[in-house]
Amino acid sequence: MEQNQDNTVDKVLLERFESEIWNKVPHLENNQEGGKIVNATPLVDITADFKECAKKIYNLDISDSELQVYGKLDSTLLTGSIKVRPAANIIHEAISTGKIKSGQTVIEATSGNFGIALGMLSKLGLQVVTIVSRKLQEGVFHELRNMGIKIMDLEMDICPAPGMEGKKDELVAKATAANVRSQLTQLGFDPSIFDNSITEIEALLGKQDIINLAKLLSKKYNCFCPEQYDNDLNVNAHRT
């Protein structure tokens, strides 16, 4: 199944997203006077802590320095995750351009924080499926489940260490593919669509390329993948 090419904007979904999420998240807003930051992340003065750290850890006495250091208080963000910025920006852009519509499913590979941030979409009627590593801490699994996120857990790292992502193992790939198929079926996805793409899927799993696996599954099942690891908004959003 190919990805939906209908780019008609779901205005009802867009209005709900902007009202319930977008207006509560730091973001850049462009107008005739240029860009401005809306709902900027609160800053906290950490100068004293910074100077104390410099003295205790690095034996540097900068107590007389006039420098001031501020940090972003990310714990105040919606969902409490730093990744809510890029998640909100990517999803807003997708809804605004008709790539996401009501009732659609979002699939993404995540090591935790981005998936937690996507959990905010559940209340809008969008199903979120995350592909994660079983090596995640149990607390992360618990938080994902609490937010109504569907989980596909694999015995592979989402972001393999350098040099590991290209090591192919056909037996592991086939076993993991069978596991993915089983979990997708349990989540209500048509296994025949998976079977028609088994060669591509096993090739990606053989390379431990979970990031592109999420993209492929999204395309085949007519879902949306934020592609956070390749999306410029994942970087630009942190300017807020």
Side-chain angles (χ1 to χ4, degrees):
M1 182 183 297
E2 295 299 323
Q3 194 161 3
N4 191 352
Q5 297 299 314
D6 178 11
N7 291 327
T8 304
V9 177
D10 186 334
K11 294 183 179 179
V12 174
L13 178 61
L14 180 60
E15 289 176 3
R16 285 196 62 194
F17 180 85
E18 291 184 339
S19 173
E20 299 180 31
I21 297 173
W22 188 241
N23 291 336
K24 301 175 183 178
V25 174
H27 63 272
L28 286 171
E29 195 170 89
N30 295 318
N31 53 37
Q32 293 180 344
E33 300 175 357
K36 68 174 183 177
I37 297 176
V38 179
N39 296 325
T41 308
L43 297 178
V44 58
D45 189 341
I46 58 173
T47 304
D49 293 326
F50 182 84
K51 290 182 177 181
E52 182 180 1
C53 176
K55 187 172 184 179
K56 287 187 176 181
I57 304 300
Y58 299 101
N59 199 29
L60 294 175
D61 186 358
I62 55 174
S63 56
D64 293 332
S65 172
E66 296 182 359
L67 68 82
Q68 287 185 297
V69 182
Y70 293 86
K72 290 182 178 180
L73 196 58
D74 288 327
S75 61
T76 63
L77 296 176
L78 192 66
T79 77
S81 171
I82 187 174
K83 286 297 187 76
V84 75
R85 291 193 198 92
N89 276 267
I90 291 171
I91 298 301
H92 183 259
E93 190 273 341
I95 297 175
S96 299
T97 54
K99 297 173 186 174
I100 297 181
K101 296 178 174 59
S102 298
Q104 200 164 1
T105 297
V106 176
I107 299 179
E108 181 62 300
T110 175
S111 55
N113 274 325
F114 196 86
I116 292 171
L118 288 177
M120 60 188 173
L121 301 178
S122 298
K123 62 181 180 180
L124 300 181
L126 296 172
Q127 177 176 247
V128 178
V129 176
T130 57
I131 305 177
V132 303
S133 169
R134 288 182 182 171
K135 299 177 183 179
L136 283 182
Q137 296 180 351
E138 182 56 38
V140 177
F141 280 109
H142 181 72
E143 193 160 356
L144 289 170
R145 294 188 185 100
N146 278 349
M147 301 192 77
I149 298 171
K150 308 298 182 183
I151 300 172
M152 289 175 50
D153 53 331
L154 308 181
E155 289 284 2
M156 290 183 176
D157 289 327
I158 299 304
C159 297
M164 291 298 294
E165 63 270 24
K167 291 191 174 181
K168 298 182 179 180
D169 189 324
E170 292 185 8
L171 290 178
V172 171
K174 289 183 180 296
T176 305
N179 178 24
V180 172
R181 184 185 189 278
S182 175
Q183 293 188 67
L184 280 172
T185 303
Q186 291 175 14
L187 292 175
F189 290 87
D190 183 353
S192 66
I193 295 176
F194 183 93
D195 295 340
N196 290 335
S197 304
I198 190 63
T199 301
E200 294 174 87
I201 291 169
E202 289 183 353
L204 290 172
L205 290 172
K207 296 185 293 184
Q208 299 187 50
D209 191 350
I210 311 305
I211 293 171
N212 280 310
L213 174 65
K215 296 179 186 179
L216 177 64
L217 292 177
S218 295
K219 179 180 179 181
K220 297 300 181 181
Y221 283 101
N222 194 28
C223 301
F224 175 77
C225 180
E227 301 186 15
Q228 59 158 321
Y229 298 99
D230 301 314
N231 198 313
D232 289 340
L233 289 174
N234 196 13
V235 177
N236 297 336
H238 291 291
R239 293 167 55 195
T240 59

